[in-house]
Amino acid sequence: MAPSLTQEYLQIPVVTRTYMTACVLTTVAVQLQVVSPFQLYFNPELIISRYQLWRLITSFLFFGSPGFGFLFNIIFLYRYCRMLEEDSFRGRTADFVFMFLFGGILITLLGLFANIVFLGQAFIIMLVYVWSKRNRLILMNFFGLLHFQAAFLPWVLAGCSLLLGNPVTVDLLGISVGHVYYFLEDVFPHRPGGRKLLTTPELLRIVFDGPGGRDQHLLLQEEQQEGDLQPTEEQHS
């Protein structure tokens, strides 16, 4: 069984695998008391005055102690981050990394006003939102209780947070940032007078896509624009 698990792990796309592994290892480190959550959370004052710059990253890696919340976030991270990387960003690792950077920076800036100390859940909601907008016609089955199109998934999750008594600030933050990215990347460039405002830096293309990355990116974009969205049904549980 061990070789098959290893093989499955290595088949996860590199960005999804790296982020998911970092989240799991961070949780393990906290459980083993190697680090404390107080060393990880987002604190602008400590980042600026004491140069604790690692908090800009670690605040996205910790989802709390192992339990339902942690498992829920890891499953969503694995599922929707992987589907984005394998579908919308297939062969475009640099563009995917750029989306990570754009979303992470915007969530961090808005987190200054939202009083949120761990930003990872908002980041996952952002990924879910972008996936849902690009796969809006997929029919979803939420724990066998609700049937709806994928476009409504982020709002269903926000509703679940509300029903469970959790603050929806995190969900709304992720939805807002996801919508900004979706609008700038998928909507505005195709409107009259619109243009592409989000451009992946060439350095990221060289590092993640290698030589010829730009040409491959253009070809893949043309293929995706020619493809038609077909309604399918997805079990969500």
Side-chain angles (χ1 to χ4, degrees):
M1 180 175 291
S4 63
L5 290 176
T6 302
Q7 185 178 11
E8 173 62 25
Y9 173 76
L10 294 176
Q11 287 178 348
I12 302 173
V14 61
V15 178
T16 302
R17 183 172 71 238
T18 300
Y19 184 34
M20 186 176 68
T21 302
C23 293
V24 172
L25 290 180
T26 300
T27 301
V28 171
V30 171
Q31 289 301 112
L32 295 177
Q33 299 184 347
V34 176
V35 295
S36 165
F38 294 104
Q39 297 173 290
L40 306 176
Y41 75 97
F42 179 62
N43 186 317
E45 182 179 351
L46 294 178
I47 292 172
I48 296 173
S49 64
R50 300 190 182 181
Y51 308 105
Q52 296 183 2
L53 301 180
W54 66 81
R55 294 180 184 271
L56 293 171
I57 298 175
T58 58
S59 58
F60 287 91
L61 303 180
F62 185 63
F63 299 113
S65 301
F68 177 77
F70 171 79
L71 185 62
F72 188 84
N73 281 295
I74 288 296
I75 290 175
F76 267 69
L77 168 60
Y78 170 79
R79 188 180 186 86
Y80 293 100
C81 190
R82 179 172 186 169
M83 286 194 293
L84 272 178
E85 190 169 2
E86 291 181 335
D87 186 12
S88 296
F89 292 93
R90 176 173 55 89
R92 299 167 49 207
T93 302
D95 290 338
F96 197 44
V97 171
F98 181 66
M99 188 189 78
F100 263 58
L101 294 174
F102 175 84
I105 291 172
L106 194 53
I107 287 174
T108 299
L109 292 175
L110 294 177
L112 293 171
F113 307 98
N115 194 29
I116 299 174
V117 295
F118 289 107
L119 306 173
Q121 185 176 343
F123 188 81
I124 291 176
I125 294 295
M126 180 203 74
L127 296 175
V128 170
Y129 184 89
V130 174
W131 177 87
S132 71
K133 298 298 282 187
R134 291 182 171 180
N135 300 271
R136 59 174 64 243
L137 298 181
I138 290 181
L139 301 177
M140 308 198 70
N141 181 353
F142 192 75
F143 294 109
L145 301 176
L146 293 174
H147 297 270
F148 54 91
Q149 290 186 333
F152 297 101
L153 177 58
W155 302 104
V156 170
L157 296 178
C160 288
S161 295
L162 194 61
L163 290 174
L164 293 173
N166 299 324
V168 296
T169 310
V170 173
D171 301 85
L172 295 179
L173 175 58
I175 288 172
S176 300
V177 173
H179 185 72
V180 170
Y181 177 84
Y182 169 75
F183 179 81
L184 294 178
E185 181 70 12
D186 294 1
V187 178
F188 183 68
H190 303 290
R191 289 191 170 180
R195 61 190 180 91
K196 187 172 176 61
L197 298 177
L198 299 180
T199 303
T200 302
E202 194 63 29
L203 178 60
L204 290 181
R205 295 202 186 281
I206 294 173
V207 172
F208 292 101
D209 293 342
R214 176 176 290 276
D215 295 337
Q216 184 183 17
H217 160 70
L218 294 175
L219 288 173
L220 288 170
Q221 267 196 331
E222 291 178 0
E223 290 178 5
Q224 290 170 357
Q225 289 174 357
E226 292 173 357
D228 294 324
L229 289 174
Q230 297 295 333
T232 56
E233 182 166 359
E234 175 173 313
Q235 295 292 325
H236 187 80
S237 56

